[in-house]
Every structure is written in C-alpha cells, then in structure tokens.
Amino acid sequence: MTEIAALKHLSARVGSDPLLVQAAGGNTSLKTDGVMWIKASGTWLRDAEAKDILVPVNHAALMAALEQNDPACEACTDFIRTDLNAAGMRPSIETTVHALMPQRVVVHVHCVNTIAWAIRADAEIRLAEKLKGFNWAFIPYARPGLPLAGAIAKKLRPGVDILVLGNHGLVVAAETVAAADALLGRVVAALRRPVQALTPPDHARLALACKGTGYSPAASDETHALATDSLALARGKNTVFYPDHVVFLGVGVATEIASEAPLVALAGIGVLIHNTAKPAIEPMGRCLADVMRRTEPQDSLVGLTDQDVDRLTNWDAEKYRQTLNATA
Ligand SMILES: [Zn+2]
C-alpha cells in the first residue's frame, strides 16, 4: 500500500469513530515531494476512501507565507497546487496546523476524551500528568487560521509530535502513517476518562412532542444523553466549549421546540432533530453529550468567550465551509 493509500485508510477509520471525529471535523495530511496533501474543507474524513478529499498544497510557499504572518494563510487557497488539484477543492481551514508540524504525516482529531481534558481550567497541569513521557505541547485556545498558527509556532519545540489544542482537540504527527496511527492510539489511551452511564430517552414522550412538528427523535442513545444525562444539558446549555459546536449548533443548546432550532434537547426526555437539519447536526449534538459525560461534577470547565465566538462565526474561511455543509 502506498503512503497516500494508507493515509486514506487511516482517515476513513478515524473519521468513522464518533469518539474521534464528528461530521466534517478533523483532518489528516501527508507531505511528499514538496506537496502537502490535506483534507479538503467541508469534506468528511470517513469518506476518504470512497471520494477524493485530499487537496495538494505547496508546503514551502505556505511556510514562507506563515513566516511573514501573511493573511493568505487564513484560507490557504493561494498555495494550492492547481496543476494537481483536479477536483478544484479548497484546503481545510486547519491547513496551517499541519504545515507547521515538521513530520510527514499529521492527524488532527476532535477526540472527546482529549476535549474533556482540554476544556478544564487546569487542563495543562492535568494533561502533563497524563502525558508524562510523551513529547507534547499544550496550545491555549486560539481561532483556527493565523491565530492558531501563531500560538503553535510559539510553543513548538524540536521533537514535539503531540499537540493538545485548548478547547479544541488533539494533533499527532509522525514520519509514517503507521507510526501516526500507533501514536494516536497511545495518546488516546493515556487520555481516556471514565464515562457516565447512558440514561435512555423517554420514547413515548418524544413521539408525543414530535407530533405535528418538523422534528424527529435523534437516532442514537448517545445523542439523547445530551438531554437525559444529569450534567450534560446543565453544562452545555449556555456554554460553547469548542469551535465546531458554535459553528454547527449555534450558541448553546435549544431546549424548546418553539425555537425551530436544528437540534432541541428536552430536559430529561431526549433530543429532537429537525427534519431539515444538516447531516452534521446529530453528530455535533452527540459530541457535546460524549464530552460532557466524560466530565465530573467537581470539574471546573472553561468555555469560549463571546469574542472567541464572534471571531469564529465572522471568519470568511469558516463561512465557506458552512456553504459546503449545507448540502454535504
Ligand atoms: Zn479542529
């Protein structure tokens, strides 16, 4: 198997694990012969083998621009190797993260166990205990694009092959796909957290609530846990903990059908998804429940600020990704 085929295989596997990747989140890349092949914006990693989702980027040109803090690094479209980009796709909004890691293979995931640590007030201290023996760095939250690139550049030391992105996720890097896969497994195992048992939804009351509305019950009990878990809704209702939440679900979580929101969590009963909701909505609802079920009542959690939320929702590259996910 070629390295690019191996990367596609790993991408599809990682992209099919809801504890690692949800919807169009996460991305992978491979640097070879001066070209960095990176997941296209708005595509789903789980489709990596079924569809062409990799975009070729001129790595040296992107690195030179990053050195200059060039605004072209926000969308990275200026660095596409158009001669190799038959499908005409745009690179991921997190392309700069991959470019900055010197290793050939980079895997970035929104691992729920990692996020459950990365949203804590004491994240860096607790992660240092858990990742003892690994060569890692903690990157405080910054908006993807140039701000996150700057935050990574500041903390990157020779040999670092793991980044934990505050209020965001995990990056692992290695010289081969097999080594990146193995490292991902070791880090995820080290960061695993105890999980609250699932409380199943009240199907009868959900059916009643849906009658005459455009809503249907969510498909999985893991998603319903957003409404049935004692902590999940209380904590997730008004706080945005990581970027993809606000991008797909908006600020907080709707708790009444009257709002016409794509996802409604009826406290103690279950979760409803609007029939017109994008395919990303249920995975995003489940992700929040999965993260919250891995926190404990005494944990002190930190959300994104109003300013963070503003900077995300008004970012042009993110708006482009949203237009793709309206149909994807
Ligand atoms: Zn990310």
Side-chain angles (χ1 to χ4, degrees):
M1 197 190 280
T2 63
E3 274 294 86
I4 205 92
L7 182 77
K8 288 178 181 177
H9 189 67
L10 174 65
S11 302
R13 205 187 79 219
V14 165
S16 302
D17 182 347
L19 299 183
L20 292 178
V21 164
Q22 307 80 26
N27 29 67
T28 55
S29 69
L30 171 69
K31 303 177 189 84
T32 176
D33 299 323
V35 175
M36 182 172 81
W37 292 90
I38 172 117
K39 195 200 79 163
S41 183
T43 59
W44 293 39
L45 272 181
R46 71 163 188 218
D47 296 333
E49 286 184 300
K51 295 182 191 167
D52 197 2
I53 66 161
L54 293 173
V55 181
V57 169
N58 182 328
H59 186 235
L62 172 53
M63 288 302 281
L66 268 174
E67 193 79 29
Q68 305 297 320
N69 214 28
D70 184 341
C73 298
E74 287 281 41
C76 292
T77 46
D78 289 4
F79 314 108
I80 296 170
R81 280 284 301 268
T82 46
D83 55 322
L84 301 173
N85 186 29
M89 296 179 292
R90 284 197 195 186
S92 159
I93 59 170
E94 290 167 328
T95 295
T96 48
V97 174
H98 293 252
L100 282 167
M101 299 303 284
Q103 294 87 351
R104 290 179 66 228
V105 178
V106 180
V107 177
H108 166 51
V109 288
H110 297 160
C111 162
V112 299
N113 281 290
T114 306
I115 296 174
W117 291 111
I119 60 177
R120 292 170 63 119
D122 60 356
E124 190 167 5
I125 298 165
R126 298 305 308 278
L127 283 160
E129 298 161 9
K130 294 285 158 187
L131 294 177
K132 219 176 181 145
F134 288 99
N135 205 341
W136 75 289
F138 180 76
I139 312 297
Y141 176 80
R143 168 173 76 64
L146 268 181
L148 179 55
I152 291 173
K154 224 185 274 174
K155 296 282 288 277
L156 208 52
R157 306 177 311 273
V160 165
D161 54 9
I162 299 161
L163 304 177
V164 176
L165 309 179
N167 287 85
H168 183 158
L170 173 67
V171 177
V172 299
E175 290 307 319
T176 65
V177 172
D181 186 7
L183 183 60
L184 178 66
R186 289 206 305 278
V187 175
V188 169
L191 297 181
R192 191 160 291 140
R193 298 201 50 172
V195 56
Q196 290 292 329
L198 276 175
T199 309
D202 185 334
H203 288 289
R205 288 181 71 184
L206 279 177
L208 208 61
C210 289
K211 242 187 171 161
T213 74
Y215 286 93
S216 304
S220 82
D221 279 1
E222 281 83 356
T223 312
H224 287 299
L226 182 56
T228 59
D229 182 86
S230 59
L231 266 184
L233 192 58
R235 284 189 147 166
K237 192 164 51 179
N238 297 316
T239 309
V240 173
F241 287 107
Y242 45 86
D244 270 4
H245 174 94
V246 68
V247 166
F248 289 94
L249 296 178
V251 175
V253 175
T255 52
E256 287 174 29
I257 267 186
S259 62
E260 284 292 311
L263 177 148
V264 176
L266 300 174
I269 301 173
V271 168
L272 303 178
I273 308 288
H274 200 272
N275 298 338
T276 61
K278 300 168 189 176
I281 296 300
E282 176 155 0
M284 288 301 156
R286 173 178 171 170
C287 179
L288 181 59
D290 282 339
V291 171
M292 291 297 122
R293 285 173 55 223
R294 285 163 178 79
T295 65
E296 279 154 41
Q298 69 276 15
D299 294 354
S300 167
L301 307 182
V302 185
L304 301 187
T305 65
D306 291 349
Q307 194 183 42
D308 292 332
V309 167
D310 227 54
R311 284 174 176 161
L312 268 169
T313 48
N314 292 311
W315 180 26
D316 285 343
E318 184 58 81
K319 284 180 187 165
Y320 170 78
R321 185 168 72 128
Q322 284 304 293
T323 63
L324 295 182
N325 269 283
T327 50

